[in-house]
Amino acid sequence: MAPHTEQLTRPAVRLRGLTRSFEGRTVLDGIDLDLPEGQFTALLGHSGSGKSTLLRAIAGIDHGVAGSGTLTAPERVSVVFQDSRLLPWRRVLPNVLLGLDGKDAEERGRAALAEVGLGGRERAWPSELSGGEQQRAALARSLVREPELLLADEPFGALDALTRIKMHALLRQLWERHRPSVLLVTHDVDEAIVLADRVLVLEDGRIALDLTIDRDGPHAHGEYRTRLLKALGVSEDAP
Ligand SMILES: Nc1ncnc2c1ncn2[C@@H]1O[C@H](COP(=O)(O)OP(=O)(O)OP(=O)(O)O)[C@@H](O)[C@H]1O
Ligand SMILES: [Mg+2]
């Protein structure tokens, strides 16, 4: 049964031999990575390990990476960053619809805002939204494009703990409903385990650990946490 299932799951992203250097310093060192369609993957790593560099390469927004290795990625890719990147001089709905046309665009934008709990805030200015609401608007802007691949670079990094927990639930719910492939960059080991089905650790320019999180399996959150912290070289007893 298992091999058959695997054959049916085509990779959404296929990366072979991706290398990226800055001023002679190698940050990504021949990375091979497949992200299956519809999988929720988290990417952990120390600050400066190259997480954002890898995400930018997959997003196709790093032109310096040209010629290094091969990349296959879907056509419809959305990226969410730590700050919402909403245009301050546009109201929420036009921000969500930015660059989108078609006569049903507005209707889709309203539906996406309703999905992230911002129904009724279409005419608000970004500055009138809280940080969490701004990130929800950013998620709506991604969703409305019906991405096959959602790339998120620490989207909750600037939010308070309580808002983060709510955003985790929302992101997981949106993923369950729309099933894009997700690559979520985070510093937070617990966030990675709670949200993702697979957690990668990037270190010394390579994927140092590729861990499957089996929600129905016998392993507890704490066991995954210990393995990931070990791969990150962090002692759980550290202050
Ligand atoms: N455009 C650039 N020019 C020069 N060096 C760069 C550039 N972009 C990234 N780097 C370097 O590459 C390394 C990896 O950066 P990257 O932003 O990918 O790290 P990161 O893992 O996302 O870190 P953080 O967790 O702090 O966001 C860093 O040492 C950084 O200084
Ligand atoms: Mg980064």
Side-chain angles (χ1 to χ4, degrees):
M1 187 69 199
H4 183 61
T5 313
E6 270 167 33
Q7 276 170 16
L8 290 176
T9 318
R10 283 188 296 130
V13 172
R14 189 180 158 85
L15 203 56
R16 289 293 175 273
L18 181 86
T19 296
R20 181 63 162 114
S21 306
F22 296 105
E23 289 124 29
R25 202 164 49 86
T26 303
V27 173
L28 302 177
D29 189 8
I31 299 232
D32 295 335
L33 179 64
D34 283 346
L35 300 179
E37 273 182 4
Q39 188 177 61
F40 197 133
T41 307
L43 178 63
L44 290 169
H46 286 280
S47 180
S49 59
K51 303 180 297 297
S52 298
T53 304
L54 179 57
L55 187 126
R56 279 201 303 272
I58 295 173
I61 52 179
D62 179 2
H63 300 298
V65 89
S68 133
T70 58
L71 166 70
T72 315
E75 213 169 284
R76 293 193 309 278
V77 181
S78 289
V79 192
V80 187
F81 298 95
Q82 185 167 356
D83 60 304
S84 67
R85 310 219 170 167
L86 297 172
L87 301 174
W89 58 87
R90 288 188 186 223
R91 294 180 194 268
V92 167
L93 183 61
N95 256 296
V96 167
L97 297 179
L98 209 65
L100 213 67
D101 42 38
K103 60 178 172 14
D104 64 339
E106 182 169 331
E107 199 181 314
R108 280 166 47 205
R110 287 179 185 279
L113 281 167
E115 265 202 85
V116 300
L118 287 178
R121 306 299 299 276
E122 293 83 0
R123 288 187 51 77
W125 296 103
S127 61
E128 293 169 348
L129 301 183
S130 71
E133 287 170 341
Q134 288 180 22
Q135 284 309 81
R136 283 196 263 151
L139 274 178
R141 187 182 47 194
S142 303
L143 270 185
V144 83
R145 284 157 179 77
E146 293 170 10
E148 296 156 273
L149 172 65
L150 176 64
L151 300 168
D153 196 349
E154 299 192 51
F156 314 132
L159 303 177
D160 65 89
L162 206 61
T163 308
R164 279 174 88 111
I165 292 170
K166 287 187 186 162
M167 293 295 284
H168 290 165
L170 175 65
L171 181 59
R172 185 81 195 178
Q173 191 184 52
L174 293 173
W175 171 76
E176 275 166 10
R177 205 175 298 153
H178 298 275
R179 288 288 166 154
S181 307
V182 175
L183 183 63
L184 170 78
V185 169
T186 175
H187 272 123
D188 185 333
V189 172
D190 294 311
E191 179 172 295
I193 302 167
V194 166
L195 284 174
D197 300 307
R198 177 185 181 196
V199 184
L200 309 171
V201 175
L202 186 62
E203 200 181 87
D204 294 332
R206 304 222 163 216
I207 306 290
L209 180 67
D210 185 342
L211 187 66
T212 301
I213 308 290
D214 181 2
R215 275 166 220 296
D216 305 320
H219 300 290
H221 185 103
E223 291 176 59
Y224 289 124
R225 191 169 199 276
T226 304
R227 281 197 68 182
L228 288 166
L229 287 175
K230 194 168 168 219
L232 289 162
V234 181
S235 159
E236 279 183 277
D237 306 325

